[in-house]
């Protein structure tokens, strides 16, 4: 937080959590370097956004690509536990720019979904979607620009984001101009701030955003938070909050479960599942996020289609 100014900042540096994400994937060969960098930046960005809005539910940052990267997902829970995965089909050059991975035919999209924890039946999660283009219809080549664009377009929030990732660290710095009247709200319900003529205050934001943008990728990856903040903002009056680490901080955790996989099988329908069993003898589903394998033999699969409603919670299953 910048003392006396309508500007807030947040820095995230994921090490163990990010290495866990990569280790899970390592079992199946890992990601091409450029995809690893993109996914790391997405994970850092999603963590910053979740910590920033403190939403009571999952924040999911997704890119639906039309190039070799079909889908990239980073999901962060309110307790900052996180998971991430990407689906890659085909070759990706080590230095592939964003558009070559996900926006080859101008069809790539970035979506941010807020899925409330206690969602009522029939209630839809809130989702905002932006194409991967700037104001002059130029293809955006940095994830940070995509998200800055999203924040301005969907949330009316001026945001400056610096992101970087390698195979050890996924890090990000977020600077945001605080709305002066009402709260601009990611969930879309809030009043839009009408503070465009607060020129003096904008100057403060602009100055701090320019300082933030001067942060280099290598600095963000290699320096600790203390050093980064001192180097960038030594002339500013910065009030720091205790960093969140350990069990309170970001860490890898997957929300997959046998029950959820069962629900997914049920949604595919009995015919589909029976035809898979006829072909393969069982249904095997792997979790893309953590690598867990769920196997359903014919008996397990049949049970998925028994109405769960007949079975009151807490009573042992019928075998
Ligand atoms: Zn999982």
């Amino acid at each position: 937080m910048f003392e006396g100014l309508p500007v807030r900042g947040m820095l995230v540096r994921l090490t163990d959590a990010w290495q866990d994400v990569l280790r899970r994937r390592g079992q199946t060969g890992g990601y091409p370097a450029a995809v690893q960098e993109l996914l790391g930046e997405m994970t850092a960005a999603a963590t910053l956004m979740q910590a920033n809005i403190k939403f009571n539910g999952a924040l999911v940052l997704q890119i639906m690509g039309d190039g070799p990267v079909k889908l990239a997902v980073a999901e962060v829970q309110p307790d900052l536990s996180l998971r991430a995965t990407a689906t890659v089909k085909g070759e990706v050059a080590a230095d592939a720019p964003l558009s070559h991975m996900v926006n080859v035919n101008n069809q790539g999209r970035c979506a941010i979904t807020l899925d409330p924890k206690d969602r009522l039946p029939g209630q839809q999660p809130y989702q905002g979607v932006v194409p991967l283009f700037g104001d002059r219809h130029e293809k955006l080549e940095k994830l940070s620009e995509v998200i800055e664009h999203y924040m301005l377009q969907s949330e009316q929030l001026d945001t400056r984001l610096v992101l970087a990732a390698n195979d050890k660290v996924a890090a990000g710095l977020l600077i945001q101009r605080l709305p002066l009247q009402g709260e601009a709200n990611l969930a879309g319900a809030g009043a839009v701030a009408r503070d465009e003529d607060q020129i003096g205050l904008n100057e403060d934001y602009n100055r701090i955003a320019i300082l933030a943008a001067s942060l280099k990728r290598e600095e963000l990856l290699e320096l600790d938070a203390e050093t980064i903040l001192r180097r960038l903002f030594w002339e500013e009056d910065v009030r720091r909050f205790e960093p969140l680490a350990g069990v309170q901080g970001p860490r890898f955790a997957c929300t997959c479960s046998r029950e959820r996989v069962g629900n997914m099988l049920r949604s595919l329908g009995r015919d589909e599942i029976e035809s898979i069993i006829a072909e393969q003898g069982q249904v095997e589903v792997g979790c893309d996020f953590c690598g867990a394998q769920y196997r359903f033999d014919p008996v397990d699969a049949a049970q998925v289609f028994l109405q769960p409603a007949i079975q009151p919670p807490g009573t042992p299953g019928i075998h």
Side-chain angles (χ1 to χ4, degrees):
M1 198 64 94
F2 294 87
E3 205 66 69
L5 305 179
V7 183
R8 73 177 150 202
M10 211 173 259
L11 185 90
V12 68
R13 200 162 184 282
L14 305 172
T15 51
D16 293 358
W18 172 234
Q19 289 167 27
D20 266 353
V21 168
L22 293 179
R23 196 173 309 127
R24 301 287 176 156
R25 184 64 173 216
Q27 299 158 356
T28 52
Y31 296 112
V35 177
Q36 173 178 282
E37 189 178 336
L38 170 63
L39 194 62
E41 292 191 359
M42 287 177 67
T43 307
T47 307
L48 284 168
M49 284 188 275
Q50 176 62 283
N52 194 18
I53 62 169
K54 298 182 181 73
F55 178 69
N56 186 27
L59 183 148
V60 189
L61 171 61
Q62 288 177 83
I63 293 182
M64 292 81 87
D66 66 356
V69 180
K70 302 297 171 201
L71 181 70
V73 187
E75 187 182 301
V76 184
Q77 301 295 329
D79 66 358
L80 299 185
S81 62
L82 58 85
R83 59 182 196 167
T85 187
T87 309
V88 184
K89 300 257 157 69
E91 295 295 307
V92 180
D95 57 350
L98 186 64
S99 67
H100 290 199
M101 290 190 275
V102 296
N103 200 21
V104 176
N105 301 308
N106 306 331
Q107 300 298 312
R109 296 279 183 280
C110 174
I112 294 173
T113 308
L114 297 175
D115 192 358
K117 208 169 200 167
D118 309 307
R119 183 139 53 97
L120 302 168
Q123 188 188 354
Q124 291 298 313
Y126 167 81
Q127 189 178 64
V129 182
V130 286
L132 306 175
F133 290 94
D135 292 330
R136 295 178 306 281
H137 295 287
E138 76 281 18
K139 289 190 186 193
L140 295 177
E141 295 298 1
K142 282 176 155 180
L143 176 71
S144 56
E145 291 172 351
V146 173
I147 295 174
E148 287 168 4
H149 206 247
Y150 172 88
M151 295 306 275
L152 192 61
Q153 201 169 303
S154 297
E155 315 299 337
Q156 289 81 41
L157 287 171
D158 274 328
T159 306
R160 182 54 44 90
L161 202 56
V162 185
L163 300 167
N166 59 19
D167 61 343
K168 300 278 185 299
V169 183
L173 172 67
L174 174 138
I175 298 292
Q176 201 160 61
R177 186 161 62 91
L178 292 175
L180 296 180
Q181 297 169 5
E183 272 287 300
N185 188 338
L186 254 179
V192 173
R194 305 199 191 288
D195 50 352
E196 295 310 318
D197 19 304
Q198 302 281 344
I199 302 292
L201 298 172
N202 281 353
E203 275 173 12
D204 288 323
Y205 167 76
N206 290 340
R207 181 182 71 248
I208 290 168
I210 288 168
L211 289 173
S214 74
L215 179 63
K216 297 198 171 54
R217 189 175 176 277
E218 296 72 33
E219 294 175 310
L220 184 53
L221 289 173
E222 282 155 29
L223 303 177
D224 60 79
E226 184 77 55
T227 311
I228 290 175
L229 295 181
R230 204 174 49 236
R231 279 199 193 174
L232 287 179
F233 306 120
W234 60 278
E235 277 186 308
E236 305 291 335
D237 188 2
V238 176
R239 179 151 49 100
R240 286 194 62 193
F241 295 91
E242 272 302 300
L244 295 173
V247 286
Q248 289 185 306
R251 67 214 169 276
F252 177 85
C254 195
T255 51
C256 71
S257 67
R258 195 170 173 84
E259 191 192 350
R260 286 190 175 199
V261 174
N263 290 340
M264 189 269 286
L265 296 184
R266 197 177 305 134
S267 73
L268 289 176
R270 192 185 288 257
D271 291 351
E272 175 75 24
I273 298 306
E274 277 172 1
S275 83
I276 296 172
I277 287 179
E279 216 171 273
Q280 300 172 5
Q282 63 172 1
V283 183
E284 197 173 337
V285 180
C287 174
D288 287 339
F289 290 96
C290 71
Q293 292 289 328
Y294 296 94
R295 288 183 189 83
F296 290 75
D297 65 19
V299 178
D300 297 335
Q303 267 189 348
V304 162
F305 292 98
L306 292 176
Q307 282 298 322
I310 342 171
Q311 196 183 308
T315 56
I318 306 149
H319 292 281

